[in-house]
Amino acid sequence: QVQFVESGGGLVQPGGSLRLSCEASGSIFSIYNMGWYRQAPGKQRELVARLTLGGSTMYADSVKGRFTISRDNAKNAMYLQMNSLKPEDTAAYYCNAHPVPSLRWGPGTQVTVSS
């Protein structure tokens, strides 16, 4: 069973940056198209960015131009570089397969953007 572990979240001021990491057991990132998802309190989980096996990326309109998704297959890791953070980016962030997040969800990492 695949295990995801997300890390890198924290408290940051508006305009700041964070780099999230997603580590997985097994060579998941060379098998699945992957996505970063987030869930804010009281809201449904939403896709933030996705990365295909061929390297194609797609971003939600709300993060386009500010976030960058990448992966390192050799390290079994995926990343989300988040710049120019806004209070509305506050959420728990998760990684999973895309388009169907069919793998077990990890614990997520909390991102809080506040002054």
Side-chain angles (χ1 to χ4, degrees):
Q1 184 69 286
V2 175
Q3 296 282 346
F4 290 119
V5 177
E6 301 90 351
S7 62
L11 174 63
V12 63
Q13 292 187 343
S17 298
L18 286 172
R19 188 192 191 215
L20 305 185
S21 297
C22 169
E23 296 184 353
S25 57
S27 302
I28 296 303
F29 303 111
S30 59
I31 298 174
Y32 290 90
N33 296 326
M34 293 294 299
W36 277 100
Y37 301 80
R38 69 185 180 187
Q39 186 168 21
K43 294 188 177 181
Q44 289 191 336
R45 195 168 298 182
E46 63 175 355
L47 177 70
V48 174
R50 71 103 167 102
L51 176 62
T52 68
L53 292 169
S56 175
T57 59
M58 182 275 288
Y59 300 92
D61 287 344
S62 59
V63 307
K64 203 172 294 182
R66 300 188 296 121
F67 290 11
T68 303
I69 187 172
S70 62
R71 69 172 177 254
D72 186 331
N73 290 346
K75 295 183 178 180
N76 288 336
M78 184 172 71
Y79 307 100
L80 186 68
Q81 178 67 42
M82 306 189 298
N83 299 327
S84 302
L85 282 161
K86 303 176 180 181
E88 51 264 43
D89 295 318
T90 295
Y93 285 72
Y94 306 84
C95 54
N96 209 316
H98 180 275
V100 178
S102 56
L103 305 174
R104 179 183 293 180
W105 292 99
T109 186
Q110 178 66 37
V111 172
T112 302
V113 185
S114 175
S115 55

